[in-house]
Amino acid sequence: MNALAGAGAAVVLVALLVAFDAHGLGTLMARSETPLLPLAVLTFGFIVTLSSVAMGAAVMLLPRGDSEPRGTAKVPVGELVPVRVAARAKRR
């Protein structure tokens, strides 16, 4: 559903960009030898981008059912833990 909402928003946005001739976009497409090709490419790009944004936002806004951290992490998320690392001095 969210991908369809993003696709619908993309089609509306492209239609508005072409209809209002934003930055001469509509004129440029109208004067092209094949005006449907740039329109299709622009629409496809907007659909992919806005559908991805809508789906990503929907996934990130999913409620989390548990309050306990999952996995093998023993440290709560966001807490910094110092780690010792052995390093050798560079010889010149």
Side-chain angles (χ1 to χ4, degrees), residues 7 11 17 19-20 24-25 37-38 40 42 49 51-53 56-57 62 67 71 75 80 87:
V11 170
L17 284 173
F20 286 112
L25 189 62
L37 182 63
L42 182 67
T49 303
S51 294
S52 299
V53 167
L62 284 173
S67 60
V75 178
L80 298 178

Side-chain angles (χ1 to χ4, degrees), residues 7 33 35 39 49 59 78-79 91:
E33 291 180 15
L39 181 64
T49 303
V59 168
E79 185 176 327
R91 294 185 184 181

Side-chain angles (χ1 to χ4, degrees), residues 22-86:
H23 296 280
L25 189 62
T27 304
L28 186 64
M29 284 186 193
R31 291 182 182 168
S32 173
E33 291 180 15
T34 55
L36 292 181
L37 182 63
L39 181 64
V41 170
L42 182 67
T43 304
F44 178 75
F46 269 73
I47 286 174
V48 167
T49 303
L50 293 183
S51 294
S52 299
V53 167
M55 288 188 301
V59 168
M60 286 187 247
L61 292 174
L62 284 173
R64 188 166 175 184
D66 60 343
S67 60
E68 296 294 322
R70 292 183 180 180
T72 59
K74 306 272 190 231
V75 178
V77 176
E79 185 176 327
L80 298 178
V81 178
V83 177
R84 289 196 176 265
V85 178

Side-chain angles (χ1 to χ4, degrees), residues 1-15 46-47 50-51:
M1 268 324 262
N2 293 310
L4 290 176
V11 170
V12 168
L13 185 58
V14 168
F46 269 73
I47 286 174
L50 293 183
S51 294

